[in-house]
Amino acid sequence: MSESSTPPQTVLLRRGEVHSPADPFATAMVVERGQVAWVGSEGAADAFADGVDEVVDLDGALVTPAFTDAHVHTTATGLALTGLDLSGTPSLEAALTLVRDFAAARPDDRVLLGHGWDTARWPGGRPPTRAELDEATGHRPLYLSRIDVHSAVVTTALLDLVPDAPREDGPLTADAHHAVRAAAFAAVTPGQRADAQRAALAHAVSLGIGTIHECAGPEISSEDDFTGLLRLATEEPGPRVVGYWAEEDVAKARELGAAGAAGDLFVDGSLGSHTACLHQPYADAGHTGRAYLDTAAVAAHIVACTEAGLQAGFHAIGDAAVDSVVAGVRAAAEKVGLARVRAARHRVEHAEMLTPEAVAAFAELGLTASVQPAFDALWGGEDGMYAQRLGIERARALNPYAALLRAGVPLAFGSDSPVTPLDPWGTVRAAAFHRTPEHRVSVRAAFTAHTRGGWRAVGRDDAGVLAPGAPADYAVWRTGELVVQAPDDRVARWSTDPRSGTPGLPDLTPGHDLPVCLRTVVGGRTVFVRPGE
């Protein structure tokens, strides 16, 4: 396989496995002018061989729709890829050693940036003090975001750059955190920012991701960051970028070129930082978290976006926050009409603490649940961070994907990168092998949520599949035997029967190797080829 800067007019891929609802046994596909033109059998492919510009011999490889990651912070992802990554550190001491080494290696950086510390996984469970960070950096400005990006620890030198910054020790949250993050990211030059964005986009396509939803906003990045990313995505080969701007100012979102005033418009914070808004207090803290938007504000935003023809969306994790969103959307529907609200496909990001009543309301109101299965893989289980924060009983109810699917709620999967890494097959595995068995979904359903679900979340029902007329966004994979995996063995047994017409997917049983991306194509244009292929 070789990369081409200009796509051939017509391409025939053959002698592989093509995952397509149009033909569950397809081994070949024709792409023409950026769209899928035909899928079918190897024998029928001979009829196309002489009339195409290029023939790609798949040599048994699997072809699937490219993945859509429905929740990404692109610049922060790139800075994490190129900067200080603490997500794998086993202890506070190890983290401080990495900070010390990073500071020594970057003597010219105006501000040192790092990400990923998680005290829930460290012995002793405490974050670094400001004095420890001051010493480790030689008293230079440093911003270190917690793994959930809802709190951070900083040095005194960074606080000195923020007017009226709080001086108490410990992780900063809410408005204080937003202020220090803004100061830290303001020190990133436009060139550094563009390099970080390129690194993130290149990493995405190397994993078979063809589209990302950028969840930006004034409390997360900046207008220049957002518009620069959208411009970069149109000017250079890479994944499609759908931009969301999390601000209640609908006109501003439209002015910036956003698909919606949505994404991380915060109704609450995160469980890890004790800022998700709960009905009952945290098990390990004497409070119920933080509420940033109330029901009236949610309703007003839904009405404004619906009337403007834009998507609205909210970040809501705790049960009180989710219920506030539901109540606000319902109030808006009473004002502008349920049919208009449903047609707008408004989104809720994360939506982790869902009661059965909230699940039913999502279905009734046409809300898309934009969720991150890797959260459960990382923090779920009886010994995980969720259980520490909420107790085992409440933690067991989190992320009920099977209940959402049964109710007919549209699911779109993402990573919230850099909170969890870009890892599409790992995300599908996390949903299919959820730590709470009753929340598991089939690999096929999870795969659909991470491909077609992302397109549906932006209002496109004709994409995310390999069928005639769909955009030619696809990935080629080296993988093992294809199987059908479902939580119910009876379903899995029937699905493997040829009469079911169910196309197989890679075996994602934990411990098995995940597929390796060989090529990624977006709109018929090759944007990634694995070296040596």
Side-chain angles (χ1 to χ4, degrees), residues 56-133:
V56 176
D57 186 344
L58 295 168
D59 192 23
L62 171 67
V63 183
T64 71
F67 286 100
T68 292
D69 192 310
H71 194 119
V72 176
H73 305 289
T74 306
T75 302
T77 296
L79 291 172
L81 288 168
T82 59
L84 175 57
D85 180 6
L86 299 177
S87 60
T89 50
S91 66
L92 170 60
E93 292 73 20
L96 288 170
T97 297
L98 286 179
V99 170
R100 194 172 288 107
D101 294 345
F102 184 75
R106 308 287 281 264
D108 298 326
D109 286 9
R110 293 163 60 192
V111 172
L112 300 165
L113 299 172
H115 167 74
W117 58 270
D118 185 1
T119 56
R121 304 164 70 186
W122 288 353
R126 78 163 178 88
T129 65
R130 190 169 305 140
E132 288 170 331
L133 294 175

Side-chain angles (χ1 to χ4, degrees), residues 62-216:
L62 171 67
V63 183
T64 71
F67 286 100
T68 292
D69 192 310
H71 194 119
V72 176
H73 305 289
T74 306
T75 302
T77 296
L79 291 172
L81 288 168
T82 59
L84 175 57
D85 180 6
L86 299 177
S87 60
T89 50
S91 66
L92 170 60
E93 292 73 20
L96 288 170
T97 297
L98 286 179
V99 170
R100 194 172 288 107
D101 294 345
F102 184 75
R106 308 287 281 264
D108 298 326
D109 286 9
R110 293 163 60 192
V111 172
L112 300 165
L113 299 172
H115 167 74
W117 58 270
D118 185 1
T119 56
R121 304 164 70 186
W122 288 353
R126 78 163 178 88
T129 65
R130 190 169 305 140
E132 288 170 331
L133 294 175
D134 287 346
E135 184 277 328
T137 59
H139 301 275
R140 294 168 61 192
L142 167 74
Y143 169 85
L144 285 182
S145 54
R146 190 186 180 280
I147 192 166
D148 59 6
V149 200
H150 282 268
S151 59
V153 289
V154 301
T155 55
T156 303
L158 182 61
L159 290 180
D160 290 341
L161 301 177
V162 182
D164 303 318
R167 293 289 163 164
E168 68 271 15
D169 208 348
L172 301 174
T173 62
D175 291 342
H177 174 229
H178 298 154
V180 296
R181 176 165 57 189
F185 278 61
V188 176
T189 67
Q192 287 175 312
R193 186 172 64 216
D195 287 345
Q197 291 171 347
R198 288 189 181 95
L201 298 178
H203 186 54
V205 293
S206 78
L207 298 169
I209 297 170
T211 301
I212 64 170
H213 296 178
E214 164 68 10
C215 291

Side-chain angles (χ1 to χ4, degrees), residues 277-439:
C277 190
L278 313 180
H279 284 305
Q280 301 299 322
Y282 284 88
D284 60 351
H287 61 83
T288 56
R290 296 287 299 267
Y292 300 129
L293 291 179
D294 60 15
T295 295
V298 169
H301 190 60
I302 291 285
V303 168
C305 287
T306 302
E307 291 183 336
L310 279 179
Q311 274 185 302
F314 305 91
H315 163 120
I317 287 179
D319 50 1
V322 171
D323 287 351
S324 184
V325 169
V326 166
V329 178
R330 184 166 280 133
E334 292 174 358
K335 182 171 182 179
V336 300
L338 178 60
R340 290 181 69 192
V341 167
R342 287 178 57 87
R345 303 192 190 188
H346 301 306
R347 297 169 54 141
V348 183
E349 309 297 320
H350 316 307
E352 293 199 82
M353 294 185 73
L354 290 162
T355 62
E357 293 77 17
V359 171
F362 271 46
E364 172 198 353
L365 298 166
L367 297 174
T368 294
S370 171
V371 296
Q372 296 74 39
F375 287 6
D376 174 73
L378 185 60
W379 296 313
E382 294 191 357
D383 299 322
M385 183 270 288
Y386 289 152
Q388 295 173 28
R389 294 290 185 270
L390 302 173
I392 291 174
E393 183 178 348
R394 278 192 295 177
R396 195 179 286 128
L398 291 181
N399 302 303
Y401 304 138
L404 286 163
L405 281 178
R406 282 195 302 270
V409 176
L411 291 182
F413 281 178
S415 62
D416 199 9
S417 180
V419 176
T420 63
L422 299 172
D423 179 16
W425 285 113
T427 296
V428 174
R429 170 187 280 171
F433 294 91
H434 197 296
R435 289 178 179 271
T436 305
E438 58 262 38
H439 299 330

